[in-house]
Amino acid sequence: KPGVSFKVIVVDNDAAESAQSVVHAISPKLNYPVTYIVERKQGLTYARNTALEHGLDADAIAFLDDDEEADPAWLNELVNTLRAYSADIVTGPVLSRFPNPPADWIVAGGFFDRQRPVTGTVLTEARTGNVCMRTDILRKTGIRFDHQFAFSGGEDADFFRRLHAAGVKIVASDAAIAHETVPASRANARWILL
């Protein structure tokens, strides 16, 4: 997109640096800079805060989980919505993909379906799986992921609720699509009940 440049920051939350060889093998083939960082403290909040700190020099930071794949227009759609709605944070849908067709009852029950608000809908929360946020709100509020959620999950809901409470505007972008592959180990009654 004209006027938009970006870099990729990969935060490896494994002290053994298990992602390093993959990142270094792929990086030379890409048309944009890639920074590889190891966060040795275990837990999602440490990795997410490391990503935030290394991205504060940009105008905005977008998050995509390591088990997700973005549509080609994903980043443009996030940026377009950020600008068009004067938003501080924009979040898009994460659509589930199944390598093997799930049982009919899983599809009928919508267990892996997420809400898809129309573009421009103002929200009270977001998730890190598909989101873009202006860095000025992070500098101004000082809000970061709370380490009490490092191993329990829920760190993203807490983070975005606190930002919303601080007056940050969160908006949906239905066109900024990411896909998540749901393995067979999760597409079953036991995992759904858990």
Side-chain angles (χ1 to χ4, degrees), residues 2 5 17 24-25 51 60 83 94 100 111 116 125-126 134 138 145 148 154 167 174 184-185 192:
S5 62
E17 301 180 13
H24 289 313
R83 291 175 173 168
V94 177
N100 302 307
F111 295 105
R116 284 187 73 173
E125 60 183 45
R134 294 183 189 273
L138 300 171
F145 291 94
Q148 76 174 342
D174 187 57
S185 63
I192 291 169

Side-chain angles (χ1 to χ4, degrees), residues 30-48:
L30 303 175
N31 295 326
Y32 43 83
V34 177
T35 302
Y36 172 78
I37 301 161
V38 177
E39 174 49 69
R40 297 188 188 285
K41 290 182 186 170
Q42 293 296 294
L44 280 175
T45 57
Y46 293 100
R48 295 195 196 287

Side-chain angles (χ1 to χ4, degrees), residues 60-137:
I61 298 171
F63 270 96
L64 192 65
D65 283 349
D66 61 357
D67 60 351
E68 293 174 352
E69 181 179 328
D71 279 1
W74 169 74
L75 191 56
N76 283 339
E77 294 297 341
L78 288 173
V79 171
N80 289 342
T81 305
L82 204 62
R83 291 175 173 168
Y85 292 89
S86 299
D88 298 306
I89 298 171
V90 173
T91 186
V94 177
L95 307 180
S96 297
R97 287 182 177 160
F98 298 89
N100 302 307
D104 291 342
W105 66 268
I106 291 177
V107 176
F111 295 105
F112 294 95
D113 296 341
R114 296 176 177 99
Q115 291 184 350
R116 284 187 73 173
V118 298
T119 298
T121 302
V122 177
L123 307 170
T124 58
E125 60 183 45
R127 295 190 175 166
T128 51
N130 181 356
V131 71
C132 183
M133 61 193 104
R134 294 183 189 273
T135 54
D136 60 344
I137 64 167

